[in-house]
Amino acid sequence: MLTTQPFLSRPAWAAVVAALLCTSVLAPLLHLVVPEDSAFHLSDYALGLTAKIMCYAICALAIDLIWGFTGILSLGHGLFFALGGYAMGMGLMREIGREGNYKSDLPDFMVFLDWKEMPWHWAWSDSFALQMLLAVAVPGLLAWVFGYFAFRSRIKGVYFSIITQAMTFAAMLLFFRNETGFGGNNGFTDFKRILGFSLSHPGTRTVLFVLTGLTGLTLVGFFLLARWLTRSKFGRVLQAIRDAETRVMFTGYDPLAYKLAIWTLSAVMCGIAGALYVPQVGIINPSEMSPAASIEMAIWAAVGGRGTLIGPIVGAFFVNGAKSWFTQVVPEFWLYFLGALFIAVTLFLPEGLMGLSNKIQDKLRRRPAPEPTDSPTPAATPEGRA
């Protein structure tokens, strides 16, 4: 049984929010304002990496809500992340207009595949606002339908994890097909504009830097929402379902409604993260739906410490920061490191980095105070004076 870590005290979680806000604001400023020859200048790569990891942190937080607090391990949340990314990508592809290689109103990949007209599921792609609505609605609706039948059938444990992985794998194979109208194995790329601003214009980079700040603010918002939910009656019921679902049913609560609500919310969070991710990296393809991508999300939560909220965010930054370093210095050892890290956490740190931090703090509190080296001079007694 998982022992949920004590919630952060008010000063602690306020410090976490302040740190995330500083990252959201300072990261773009260090790139725009600080000169390139300064040691404090943040490069394009570092800024993009920061934004990407914040998107990943949103996914890790979503996994923590369903795994750490509800006991539902999903190995398919990469699908919801990719669906949000594809919704954003479709809007960006339509903004290319006739600036593509084939000078057609259709995206280049459709012209190459001899498509004559826009598919039905691209009907709203000319409206950026509607595409953003789809980035929320499509992952949420799919999660609700899937979760309703899965939870209603009382599928749980490893069986639920397997069918979520099968779902995302099937979707990946579907999106790889050229006839589905999603770009096949190449996906969407070569974006020209965003919200009418040319991506080739120097000033447009500022828009992307603002988007980095928006990603950080979104992460802060979801963190505060998750903290409020887990401290409410709703969150206590979720933890009761995690620990003893049968007893919860006997007390008159319906686990289906609670599990379905938190499952759908976590899918929506991943969809929004995917939509924010695409403009940062400039591409979205079916590889984001691979089972390995979903497994990595679970690893971020496990490494940081599930059931803590802040732990998965720390885990996302730690694992992806290590990935960036390893893939540059010793790329052939990255997968070995990731596997060894997950095994070590499972065997020796079941509560993750946050659990290790709590243990260290407890030891420091229990350490006895050092004894004084110089003993005080005994006071003179009346007999001694005599």
Side-chain angles (χ1 to χ4, degrees), residues 8-300:
L8 294 173
S9 62
R10 183 176 296 273
W13 74 260
V16 169
V17 172
L20 292 175
L21 287 174
C22 287
T23 303
S24 306
V25 175
L26 286 179
L29 288 179
L30 289 177
H31 182 89
L32 287 174
V33 178
V34 179
E36 294 186 7
D37 56 352
S38 173
F40 298 99
H41 175 76
L42 201 64
S43 64
D44 286 343
Y45 173 78
L47 183 67
L49 179 63
T50 301
K52 284 170 55 179
I53 295 179
M54 287 192 290
C55 292
Y56 293 151
I58 295 175
C59 296
L61 185 62
I63 291 292
D64 194 33
L65 285 176
I66 59 171
W67 187 23
F69 288 91
T70 320
I72 304 171
L73 174 57
S74 170
L75 297 180
H77 262 49
L79 171 60
F80 306 128
F81 179 81
L83 288 176
Y86 267 93
M88 171 67 82
M90 290 168 70
L92 296 180
M93 289 296 288
R94 287 301 300 273
E95 289 201 39
I96 294 176
R98 290 183 172 271
E99 296 180 32
N101 295 326
Y102 296 99
K103 310 301 180 183
S104 172
D105 291 328
L106 297 177
D108 283 349
F109 75 89
M110 290 186 183
V111 179
F112 178 78
L113 295 173
D114 200 26
W115 287 68
K116 302 302 182 183
E117 58 183 9
M118 202 74 68
W120 65 269
H121 50 272
W122 282 72
W124 291 352
S125 57
D126 57 345
S127 172
F128 190 84
L130 289 177
Q131 285 302 123
M132 294 307 94
L133 178 63
L134 289 177
V136 175
V138 173
L141 180 61
L142 177 62
W144 190 90
V145 173
F146 175 86
Y148 177 79
F149 288 103
F151 298 142
R152 184 184 178 188
S153 303
R154 297 185 181 179
I155 300 174
K156 59 180 67 174
V158 66
Y159 302 103
F160 184 86
S161 302
I162 290 173
I163 63 173
T164 56
Q165 191 172 68
M167 175 182 65
T168 189
F169 185 71
M172 181 186 69
L173 295 179
L174 177 65
F175 274 66
F176 265 122
R177 301 177 66 89
N178 289 327
E179 59 267 27
T180 57
F182 292 108
N185 61 335
N186 293 324
F188 303 148
T189 187
D190 195 27
F191 305 128
K192 305 291 185 183
R193 283 199 261 246
I194 180 170
L195 293 176
F197 295 94
S198 173
L199 290 176
S200 60
H201 192 278
T204 308
R205 297 300 302 174
T206 307
V207 177
L208 298 182
F209 302 150
V210 171
L211 187 60
T212 302
L214 177 61
T215 304
L217 294 177
T218 305
L219 174 58
V220 171
F222 278 134
F223 173 77
L224 295 177
L225 174 62
R227 185 178 184 275
W228 173 73
L229 283 175
T230 52
R231 292 174 65 91
S232 65
K233 177 183 175 182
F234 178 83
R236 291 193 291 272
V237 174
L238 292 180
Q239 295 173 61
I241 292 173
R242 177 199 64 194
D243 295 335
E245 184 174 346
T246 304
R247 294 183 182 180
V248 173
M249 296 174 62
F250 288 153
T251 57
Y253 289 95
D254 182 14
L256 172 63
Y258 286 88
K259 292 165 70 174
L260 192 57
I262 198 65
W263 169 260
T264 304
L265 174 62
S266 69
V268 168
M269 291 171 62
C270 285
I272 294 175
L276 293 170
Y277 172 84
V278 170
Q280 301 289 346
V281 299
I283 188 173
I284 179 69
N285 56 42
S287 64
E288 300 295 342
M289 300 181 186
S290 66
S294 299
I295 292 174
E296 278 196 42
M297 294 182 184
I299 292 177
W300 303 334

